[in-house]
Amino acid sequence: MSRTIGGAFTMAIGEWYYCLDHHTVEPYEGCKSDSRLGPYATPAEAANALERVAQRNDEWDNDPRFVDDDEDDPDEDPDRAGLFGV
């Protein structure tokens, strides 16, 4: 849905999604939710969904709070190797 204010066109209002199957922006009534990213406030935000996902992944990968240091890798700690049948 879109609207005008004082005769000027404004952005569409509602929930918008990025469809991973069709690589398009869709309104709420689009494809199944398991193949979409969103909701986003505007079609422009939905259109940038993949860039936002990449940015968040990069932030996560470089956040020191989430660095595992391979603590669960038995190959890295010989004392734990026997626990995993290696």
Side-chain angles (χ1 to χ4, degrees):
M1 170 172 55
S2 61
R3 63 180 176 158
T4 59
I5 298 177
F9 179 76
T10 62
M11 295 184 109
I13 298 172
E15 293 182 344
W16 295 91
Y17 298 83
Y18 183 82
C19 177
L20 297 169
D21 292 336
H22 302 108
H23 307 284
T24 59
V25 173
E26 300 179 344
Y28 175 79
E29 296 81 14
C31 292
K32 301 183 306 182
S33 62
D34 66 344
S35 62
R36 304 192 299 182
L37 300 173
Y40 296 94
T42 66
E45 288 179 14
N48 291 319
L50 294 180
E51 289 83 7
R52 183 67 179 134
V53 166
Q55 178 185 14
R56 286 182 176 167
N57 286 344
D58 187 51
E59 290 170 3
W60 179 279
D61 290 343
N62 294 301
D63 190 323
R65 296 175 296 169
F66 304 109
V67 175
D68 293 335
D69 293 330
D70 294 319
E71 291 175 350
D72 294 330
D73 187 350
D75 295 331
E76 295 294 323
D77 186 355
D79 293 332
R80 295 185 65 190
L83 297 174
F84 299 99
V86 177

